[in-house]
Amino acid sequence: MKPPELVLCGLPALKARFEREAGSILRLYFDYPTARKIGVITKVLAQARKIYRCVEPAELEKIAGTKHHGGIVAVVRAAVPQAPAPAAVAAWAKRRASVLVLDRIGNSHNLGAIARTAAFLGVTQLVLADDPAASRPNDAAYRVSEGGLEQLEVHAVKDVAAFLGALAAAGYEVIGAATRLRAAPSGTARDGVLGAAKLSAKPVALVLGNEEHGLAPAVEQACTRLVTIPGSGRVESLNVSVAAAILLWELVGTKK
């Protein structure tokens, strides 16, 4: 069976992939202006006898499947996210690694934007729901992430609620982003986003829910704390990628 392939667009994404896993690059196409910026990359590909070509803009757009290719397109071997082993979760907690869990985020552009912010703020672990409704790291997500997905270890779990329980058992404060102010599940604290600054010194796992439905009930129940971003009330909610940026800064960025 042919391994899955992924199309990466743009120089930031290509450079990030080259630095992380140069051997996964299968084919590379670029326009004339970009050719001057990738001499080291093409030299390595030549040594590995990989295909690389300078092509006209029309052909580059056809290969990319979009006009937003940034002058360079790479076809790479795609990794299939797997569930992290219990030992890995214990190691995350020991080194206080921040974890971002996405419960059925359905839009690839949102996934890419969230990954970009998470990488910028130093998150290292991204856990997705292994669910048909959830977006996976596809071409669009990688393009929007601008290299962010390359900086994250991406995992997928079938039972998000059970995984959150494992995080809590490992010592994490598992913080769910609730879209509306309603009664918190029994045993679960609720704060506004500013209240989150009073959290204990535990490592943090932030959980974001589906764009339309929010956190699944079982997932919300598995969180040790819920936070809501207070707003004016004039607009019902924020785009999930914007909410992710605010919460990640409050919970992760300010703790650096």
Side-chain angles (χ1 to χ4, degrees):
M1 183 178 178
K2 184 180 178 181
E5 294 181 351
L6 182 71
V7 175
L8 298 184
C9 298
L11 201 51
L14 187 277
K15 285 184 173 179
R17 172 56 66 110
F18 181 75
E19 292 171 2
R20 180 175 181 177
E21 192 181 359
S24 70
I25 301 174
L26 303 175
R27 301 180 294 281
L28 182 65
Y29 307 92
F30 44 89
D31 60 18
Y32 293 95
T34 306
R36 299 190 298 269
K37 305 174 184 178
I38 56 172
V40 173
I41 296 174
T42 54
K43 182 178 179 180
V44 170
L45 292 180
Q47 291 172 344
R49 298 188 177 184
K50 298 288 184 68
I51 296 171
Y52 65 93
R53 283 196 295 140
C54 190
V55 299
E56 296 295 333
E59 184 176 356
L60 196 60
E61 184 174 331
K62 183 177 180 182
I63 295 168
T66 174
K67 61 182 180 181
H68 304 294
H69 48 65
I72 189 165
V73 179
V75 180
V76 305
R77 211 169 34 242
V80 180
Q82 303 293 327
V89 174
W92 299 350
K94 186 175 182 180
R95 66 175 187 267
R96 300 180 55 78
S98 298
V99 180
L100 177 60
V101 182
L102 303 184
D103 177 28
R104 298 164 298 118
I105 295 296
N107 184 286
S108 296
H109 289 184
N110 284 337
L111 172 58
I114 291 169
R116 181 177 182 177
T117 299
F120 180 82
L121 291 174
V123 174
T124 58
Q125 308 298 327
L126 175 62
V127 181
L128 309 176
D130 187 0
D131 185 286
S135 176
R136 303 306 284 269
N138 57 17
D139 301 355
Y142 269 90
R143 183 174 70 252
V144 174
S145 80
E146 291 281 351
L149 277 166
E150 299 292 352
Q151 306 302 326
L152 303 171
E153 293 183 22
V154 183
H155 314 273
V157 295
K158 289 189 177 296
D159 190 333
V160 174
F163 176 71
L164 298 185
L167 284 176
Y172 274 88
E173 184 81 87
V174 181
I175 304 172
T179 55
R180 297 177 181 83
L181 287 170
R182 57 182 181 274
S186 177
T188 303
R190 176 180 290 282
D191 291 290
V193 67
L194 296 179
K198 301 175 183 178
L199 292 174
S200 67
K202 293 180 177 181
V204 170
L206 174 63
V207 191
L208 296 165
N210 175 266
E211 293 92 333
E212 183 177 354
H213 304 293
L215 298 172
V219 171
E220 187 172 284
Q221 183 71 50
C223 295
T224 59
R225 186 175 294 270
L226 298 175
V227 295
T228 302
I229 300 173
S232 66
R234 297 173 65 185
V235 177
E236 182 179 4
S237 62
L238 293 169
N239 175 275
V240 68
S241 65
V242 175
I246 294 171
L247 290 168
L248 283 171
W249 169 247
E250 181 68 27
L251 300 172
V252 177
T254 57
K255 307 300 182 287
K256 297 296 181 185

